[in-house]
Amino acid sequence: MSTSSPFDNIRIILSHTSHPGNIGAAARAMKTMGLSSLYLINPKAFPDKEADVRAVSARDILEKIRVCTALDEALDNTVLTAAMTARPRDLSHDVFNARQGARELLRYARQHPVALLFGTETSGLTTAEVSKCQMIIHIPANPDFTSLNLASAVQVMTYELRMALIENDEPVPLAGFPANFNELELLYAHLEQVMIASDFLDPQKPRLLMQRIRRLFGRARPEKEEVQILRGILTALGKRW
């Protein structure tokens, strides 16, 4: 998928936002850096007058917002999603600082849809939400006070994306066509089905197996053809049960 600007392929996703003013402030932060695609997952209040007030001259972004009921809907057709989190995770994906992460997202966004996922103001992203992403981005901050306002975090990342676009005149091209979110979710479901049928996975005691598998494929970032091969193998194996 190609567009006139890589920024047209970058989604900013805000999950379960508590304060509508932060939605408006995030829209303003995006517009100052040239991004316009904003998605919301189950916001507590939107549309809301406070969002309009805080957006100032970025109300056009609010008018185009996609409000989703689930993360899967917001990630539809994306090939790479970065989770914004400062909290350490037991099973972490590849971790980038803000500058490195912006460059990596932009590398994919030149040809494909990508997303940057922000959690709720009070508790951030859940483990389940992070597991749907392929990478983690953190903003280096004062270790004694790492908490950033949601809109401030959006501003930092959109600035880094703008700088990456300015500085990266000759990006490293992608080798193939990466599998998108939908294709990977079908692979995970297929793999889980086969593992249960073969008694490799006990659905009553799944432990962290699927989370580890998601981390494995998040690091590998398989291509479409590779996912098709894996699903073909799973289909062949499934015929034995």
Side-chain angles (χ1 to χ4, degrees), residues 67 77 88 123 130 146 157 203 212 218 226 231 233:
V67 179
N77 203 40
S123 56
V130 174
T146 60
M157 284 310 305
R212 291 182 184 277
E226 293 168 338
R231 293 203 63 195
I233 294 171

Side-chain angles (χ1 to χ4, degrees), residues 115 127 143-144 182 231:
T127 298
D144 296 324
N182 314 60
R231 293 203 63 195

Side-chain angles (χ1 to χ4, degrees), residues 54-114:
R54 294 287 297 279
V56 190
S57 297
R59 293 178 186 173
D60 56 322
I61 292 180
L62 298 185
E63 292 170 359
K64 297 184 297 181
I65 275 180
R66 286 279 303 274
V67 179
C68 305
T69 58
L71 178 56
D72 286 17
E73 182 184 353
L75 294 181
D76 180 57
N77 203 40
T78 56
V79 303
L80 181 64
T81 300
M84 290 297 305
T85 179
R87 287 192 292 139
R89 306 282 172 163
D90 292 336
L91 291 175
S92 179
H93 299 297
D94 289 338
V95 179
F96 297 78
N97 65 34
R99 188 148 301 175
Q100 296 165 336
R103 290 170 179 164
E104 185 70 357
L105 282 169
L106 186 64
R107 189 164 73 93
Y108 282 78
R110 290 184 181 277
Q111 295 177 292
H112 307 280
V114 303

Side-chain angles (χ1 to χ4, degrees), residues 51-196:
D52 293 338
V53 170
R54 294 287 297 279
V56 190
S57 297
R59 293 178 186 173
D60 56 322
I61 292 180
L62 298 185
E63 292 170 359
K64 297 184 297 181
I65 275 180
R66 286 279 303 274
V67 179
C68 305
T69 58
L71 178 56
D72 286 17
E73 182 184 353
L75 294 181
D76 180 57
N77 203 40
T78 56
V79 303
L80 181 64
T81 300
M84 290 297 305
T85 179
R87 287 192 292 139
R89 306 282 172 163
D90 292 336
L91 291 175
S92 179
H93 299 297
D94 289 338
V95 179
F96 297 78
N97 65 34
R99 188 148 301 175
Q100 296 165 336
R103 290 170 179 164
E104 185 70 357
L105 282 169
L106 186 64
R107 189 164 73 93
Y108 282 78
R110 290 184 181 277
Q111 295 177 292
H112 307 280
V114 303
L116 194 53
L117 177 62
F118 295 80
T120 184
E121 296 94 331
T122 54
S123 56
L125 294 171
T126 66
T127 298
E129 288 175 322
V130 174
S131 73
K132 298 276 187 176
C133 305
Q134 292 77 45
M135 57 188 282
I136 286 175
I137 295 178
H138 73 95
I139 297 173
N142 177 1
D144 296 324
F145 190 68
T146 60
S147 178
L148 271 173
N149 171 269
L150 175 58
S152 297
V154 172
Q155 186 72 82
V156 170
M157 284 310 305
T158 53
Y159 167 78
E160 291 294 350
L161 286 165
R162 167 61 62 181
M163 292 304 298
L165 182 66
I166 292 172
E167 295 172 353
N168 195 7
D169 295 328
E170 297 182 4
V172 178
L174 299 178
F177 294 93
N180 64 32
F181 173 79
N182 314 60
E183 293 160 339
L184 286 172
E185 287 299 304
L186 289 173
L187 171 63
Y188 297 143
H190 197 166
L191 184 56
E192 185 175 26
Q193 178 186 0
V194 170
M195 288 192 297
I196 291 173

